[in-house]
Amino acid sequence: MPKTITKRQTNTSIAEGDLVAAVDLGSNSFHMVVARYVLGQLRIIDRIKEHIYLAEGLDAEKNLSLEAEKRALACLAQFGQRLTYVKPNNLRIVATNTLRKMWHPEVFIEKAERCLGNRIEIIAGREEARLIYLGVAHDKPLKKGNRLVIDIGGGSTEFVIGKGFRVLEKESLQLGCIANIKRFFPDKKLSAIKWQQAKTQISVDMQPFALKFKTHDWKQVFGSSGTIKALSDMAIAKQLSDGTLSLEVLQQLSHEMVGFGSINTIRWPQISTSRCRSIAGGLLTLE
């Protein structure tokens, strides 16, 4: 795994009216959020999300294809224009699984930083998990007991148990949407047998930390990724639940998905065409 390209700068103070921004260079999509600090609160003034499918662009030697690089840099150039007026100390740009796996990521990083006009930090999987948990903890009302947070990205999935704002356990596995499709369905063909075989292997991958996690006896479970949100929307659209995802609901969704026969022919009108390209890998992990 490559070392962090640069350490995060520590912000000492934010003045009234300052802009604050965060950029997430994920394996599936790139996100940017810009907010203004007003009366002690952050008010979001700009938000951009683009599906880049960076993980799809990695070949067997972990080199990034020219097509994926072109998509990524075009998006980052757009981000860079929006970040012009954000002070460097009020900005954090992080890259996750695909950049961690990439052979010689510094080549891409150099080009990406020119587009953004700022430094990029490659964070470890467990640091990614910690940040995900804190985002959920700040967004959702605090309740008694522990909570489990799951975030399914393009290249990895993060599992975190915490209480309040304190992280108790965290893990990151190579079980992302795109990673699963490349690993279990390289020919894009779907079948009940292949689906069950993939679930069995994923269960094996989870075993080393599953028992440790179960000792914390969580009372709540939150899914924080776009993939989980899309599956929740599907459950509502098909009147399977109020959006809550139980094992029974996931099994009904996976049965219908396998029935398409191919990743390329999945058509769920309730979610975007771009999301349909990767949704099978996410559903597989969550089930």
Side-chain angles (χ1 to χ4, degrees), residues 57-128:
L58 283 189
D59 61 22
E61 286 73 41
K62 308 304 180 185
N63 293 309
L64 189 65
S65 70
L66 292 178
E67 292 80 5
E69 180 180 284
K70 184 178 179 180
R71 291 195 302 270
L73 296 180
C75 176
L76 296 181
Q78 182 184 11
F79 284 7
Q81 293 175 2
R82 307 291 182 96
L83 297 172
T84 302
Y85 301 103
V86 181
K87 299 175 183 177
N89 280 356
N90 291 351
L91 168 66
R92 189 176 187 186
I93 305 172
V94 299
T96 57
N97 185 262
T98 298
L99 271 292
R100 292 196 292 264
K101 293 170 61 179
M102 193 182 298
W103 181 251
H104 292 312
E106 64 274 9
V107 176
F108 173 78
I109 288 285
E110 183 180 353
K111 297 176 184 178
E113 288 180 341
R114 285 202 299 267
C115 291
L116 290 166
N118 289 277
R119 302 290 286 172
I120 296 171
E121 175 187 359
I122 299 178
I123 58 174
R126 291 187 176 185
E127 170 64 3
E128 184 180 356

Side-chain angles (χ1 to χ4, degrees), residues 1 95-97 100 122-132 156-160 170-174:
M1 179 185 299
T96 57
N97 185 262
R100 292 196 292 264
I122 299 178
I123 58 174
R126 291 187 176 185
E127 170 64 3
E128 184 180 356
R130 185 185 72 84
L131 294 174
I132 288 165
S156 64
T157 294
E158 280 63 51
F159 307 84
V160 198
K170 55 185 182 292
E171 191 58 73
S172 177
L173 295 182
Q174 304 297 306

Side-chain angles (χ1 to χ4, degrees), residues 157-184:
T157 294
E158 280 63 51
F159 307 84
V160 198
I161 292 179
K163 185 174 184 179
F165 295 108
R166 185 163 61 96
V167 173
L168 302 176
E169 298 284 356
K170 55 185 182 292
E171 191 58 73
S172 177
L173 295 182
Q174 304 297 306
L175 297 174
C177 299
I178 298 173
N180 282 346
I181 291 174
K182 294 175 75 171
R183 178 183 179 188
F184 298 112

Side-chain angles (χ1 to χ4, degrees), residues 37-287:
Y37 186 72
V38 180
L39 299 176
Q41 295 183 328
L42 292 176
R43 299 181 180 177
I44 294 176
I45 61 173
D46 200 3
R47 187 195 300 268
I48 303 177
K49 175 182 178 180
E50 294 286 346
H51 284 96
I52 304 299
Y53 303 107
L54 202 65
E56 279 188 359
L58 283 189
D59 61 22
E61 286 73 41
K62 308 304 180 185
N63 293 309
L64 189 65
S65 70
L66 292 178
E67 292 80 5
E69 180 180 284
K70 184 178 179 180
R71 291 195 302 270
L73 296 180
C75 176
L76 296 181
Q78 182 184 11
F79 284 7
Q81 293 175 2
R82 307 291 182 96
L83 297 172
T84 302
Y85 301 103
V86 181
K87 299 175 183 177
N89 280 356
N90 291 351
L91 168 66
R92 189 176 187 186
I93 305 172
V94 299
T96 57
N97 185 262
T98 298
L99 271 292
R100 292 196 292 264
K101 293 170 61 179
M102 193 182 298
W103 181 251
H104 292 312
E106 64 274 9
V107 176
F108 173 78
I109 288 285
E110 183 180 353
K111 297 176 184 178
E113 288 180 341
R114 285 202 299 267
C115 291
L116 290 166
N118 289 277
R119 302 290 286 172
I120 296 171
E121 175 187 359
I122 299 178
I123 58 174
R126 291 187 176 185
E127 170 64 3
E128 184 180 356
R130 185 185 72 84
L131 294 174
I132 288 165
Y133 178 82
L134 290 177
V136 172
H138 280 280
D139 187 59
K140 298 297 180 182
L142 298 177
K143 296 182 180 180
K144 293 182 179 180
N146 300 334
R147 72 175 90 191
L148 168 65
V149 175
I150 302 172
D151 185 282
I152 303 175
S156 64
T157 294
E158 280 63 51
F159 307 84
V160 198
I161 292 179
K163 185 174 184 179
F165 295 108
R166 185 163 61 96
V167 173
L168 302 176
E169 298 284 356
K170 55 185 182 292
E171 191 58 73
S172 177
L173 295 182
Q174 304 297 306
L175 297 174
C177 299
I178 298 173
N180 282 346
I181 291 174
K182 294 175 75 171
R183 178 183 179 188
F184 298 112
F185 312 109
D187 59 358
K188 304 297 180 70
K189 300 292 180 60
L190 293 171
S191 71
I193 293 176
K194 291 174 69 174
W195 191 268
Q196 185 57 49
Q197 289 173 338
K199 282 203 309 179
T200 299
Q201 183 56 56
I202 287 176
S203 296
V204 171
D205 294 344
M206 291 181 177
Q207 283 307 307
F209 73 91
L211 292 178
K212 181 173 63 175
F213 267 50
K214 288 179 180 178
T215 61
H216 290 285
D217 189 29
W218 58 83
K219 303 299 182 184
Q220 302 170 292
V221 184
F222 291 95
S224 63
S225 62
T227 292
I228 297 176
K229 174 64 165 58
L231 293 171
S232 175
D233 291 343
M234 286 302 305
I236 295 172
K238 294 184 175 297
Q239 299 183 336
L240 300 177
S241 76
D242 61 355
T244 301
L245 296 173
S246 64
L247 178 58
E248 181 182 3
V249 169
L250 293 173
Q251 288 172 336
Q252 291 182 65
L253 291 175
S254 66
H255 178 74
E256 179 175 339
M257 181 171 292
V258 170
F260 284 106
S262 170
I263 300 292
N264 296 329
T265 57
I266 294 173
R267 294 292 183 272
W268 274 345
Q270 294 84 356
I271 61 177
S272 67
T273 302
S274 59
R275 179 72 67 183
C276 285
R277 290 174 54 183
S278 61
I279 194 73
L283 176 54
L284 181 61
T285 293
L286 199 57
E287 186 183 347

